[in-house]
Amino acid sequence: MVDLEHLVNLGDFEAAAAEQLAEGLLAYYGGGAGDERTLGENLAAFTRRRLRPRVLTDVSGVSAATTVLGAEVSMPVLVAPTALHRMAHPDGEPGMARAAAEAGTVFCLSTLATTRPSEVAAGAPAAPRWFQVYCFRDRAVTRALVDEAVDSGFGALVLTVDAPRAGRRERDVRTGFTVPADVDMPAVRAAAGGSVTPTPAEFFSLLDLTLDWSVIGELSRSGLPVVVKGIQTAEDAALACEHGAAAIVVSNHGGRQLDGVAASIDVLPEAVEAVAGRLEVYVDGGVRRGTDVLVALALGARAVLIGRPMLWGLAVGGEAGALRVLELLKAEVELGLTLLGTPTPAHVTRAHVE
Ligand SMILES: Cc1cc2nc3c(=O)[nH]c(=O)nc-3n(C[C@H](O)[C@H](O)[C@H](O)COP(=O)(O)O)c2cc1C
């Protein structure tokens, strides 16, 4: 049993998770597509940025709190949608949702979850939550899931647009990763016609490859704001605005889809410019430090999402581990804001990074 108090940063959680997880699951969680160039770039790009602190700015009342889509959050860090939480720990998605609620931030439930939306709501009623949508060819299944999310108090839909097919994650090929028969993915089982749950790679064969921009309007009819996740160009950022998105996530899916694309933090500035204040812009991929969050804010993001670090937290300590990851990052963001001379996220500007 790992003593969470001895893990002092997100890197420690990654190392502890690597000790603990079975080889196949570790490879599934950690891996990227192809040569993993983009996976590496997401991390490397942050190391190329330099913060420009200002001094004597009265930082007595530092707070990391902000809002996303009008909802108050304790820090500009949200929990990204990731698959298969019960494989990391029996606390699963409800545990992750409770950790996010305890830390005061939003939890995004994946379509590839091992828990259905209504169960997450019942298991973590206080948690602010968004539902991530993959659109199945069988639209009735997607509509039923969205209806369940609406009825279960989810506050937004996160439409993931960078994964019409799964990237080729060669670590999974080598380990032969499959989801054990006793791990249920309810949404995927429904889309597969109630038969056994397919592997993550087979799951993508159930998705609608004909999707175009009209899907934003289609999902908006649910009454929930639609966040488009997986934007990687200024052109698509502008189109998301024109088609009624409420926000975008500049993301390359943690380097798991098209290998060779730029780090998402490097794409962020062109997306922010194209959007020109019309909607909120979030970014994910490689955020491991409070200072990475500051870089993202300075380049125009309203908030970041973190994927793998939350899985490491859940794997190491269930709900308590996931909470500790968020607490560590929040403390780093608060310290970073203080030393950058910016009492709140709103004070961080383009001039604070080069
Ligand atoms: C194991 C794993 C599973 C993921 N599953 C999903 C998913 O089901 N839906 C989705 O939109 N993104 C998914 N993602 C992508 C994350 O939402 C996020 O974009 C990415 O993890 C951010 O990069 P980071 O892990 O470096 O923080 C997944 C990522 C990982 C690592």
Side-chain angles (χ1 to χ4, degrees):
M1 182 63 186
V2 180
D3 182 355
L4 295 178
E5 294 300 318
H6 289 142
L7 305 179
V8 302
N9 60 37
L10 274 51
D12 286 353
F13 270 89
E14 178 168 5
E19 296 269 296
Q20 205 160 309
L21 287 170
E23 188 196 9
L25 190 57
L26 181 65
Y28 173 69
Y29 285 161
D35 291 315
E36 300 190 337
R37 288 182 192 161
T38 298
L39 178 68
E41 264 297 287
N42 279 349
L43 298 167
F46 281 108
T47 71
R48 293 194 289 265
R49 297 283 176 175
R50 297 289 175 268
L51 291 165
R52 300 183 66 246
R54 301 298 306 276
V55 297
L56 300 176
T57 59
D58 185 355
V59 287
S60 57
V62 160
S63 165
T66 184
T67 62
V68 285
L69 296 179
E72 288 179 14
V73 284
S74 66
M75 60 178 153
V77 178
L78 319 178
V79 178
T82 52
L84 290 170
H85 290 184
R86 276 191 217 274
M87 286 192 72
H89 192 278
D91 287 354
E93 288 84 4
M96 191 78 102
R98 283 192 299 271
E102 179 71 23
T105 193
V106 168
F107 166 66
C108 298
L109 177 68
S110 166
T111 288
L112 286 178
T114 50
T115 314
R116 45 186 325 131
S118 54
E119 265 180 82
V120 170
R129 46 188 175 270
W130 295 354
F131 181 63
Q132 180 264 320
V133 178
Y134 282 126
C135 269
F136 294 112
R137 273 200 306 279
D138 184 346
R139 246 349 182 277
V141 174
T142 297
R143 269 196 303 275
L145 274 172
V146 168
D147 288 349
E148 183 177 332
V150 172
D151 293 344
S152 308
F154 283 70
L157 299 177
V158 179
L159 172 69
T160 299
V161 293
D162 57 11
R165 287 182 59 190
R168 190 160 193 269
R169 300 158 196 169
E170 294 178 6
R171 294 197 211 183
D172 293 348
V173 178
R174 292 186 206 283
T175 65
F177 176 71
T178 53
V179 181
D182 60 343
V183 176
D184 190 22
M185 291 195 274
V188 179
R189 183 165 39 77
S195 65
V196 288
T197 301
T199 64
E202 287 162 355
F203 149 81
F204 284 90
S205 67
L206 303 166
L207 297 184
D208 184 356
L209 289 175
T210 71
L211 281 193
D212 60 27
W213 289 96
S214 66
V215 68
I216 299 176
E218 190 183 319
L219 290 173
S220 297
R221 285 198 277 282
S222 66
L224 294 184
V226 177
V227 179
V228 180
K229 174 173 180 282
I231 296 291
Q232 299 182 63
T233 59
E235 296 90 317
D236 282 343
L239 281 167
C241 294
E242 286 158 28
H243 287 85
I248 58 171
V249 186
V250 175
S251 171
N252 50 46
H253 215 110
R256 294 164 77 82
Q257 287 299 108
L258 183 62
D259 194 30
V261 303
S264 39
I265 197 67
D266 286 341
V267 176
L268 178 64
E270 72 174 67
V272 167
E273 194 185 344
V275 162
R278 286 177 286 176
L279 45 68
E280 293 183 354
V281 180
Y282 316 132
V283 65
D284 74 16
V287 175
R288 302 292 180 265
R289 284 286 186 185
T291 44
D292 298 339
V293 180
L294 299 182
V295 167
L297 295 177
L299 294 175
R302 180 90 191 166
V304 305
L305 286 72
I306 55 170
R308 292 181 184 84
M310 294 306 298
L311 293 170
W312 309 142
L314 190 69
V316 169
E319 175 184 338
L323 175 59
R324 175 107 175 116
V325 165
L326 288 169
E327 285 175 346
L328 284 171
L329 202 51
K330 178 160 175 264
E332 288 189 12
V333 172
E334 286 168 348
L335 175 61
L337 286 171
T338 309
L339 298 180
L340 193 62
T342 50
T344 72
H347 286 85
V348 182
T349 67
R350 188 65 186 79
H352 288 98
V353 75
E354 60 184 20

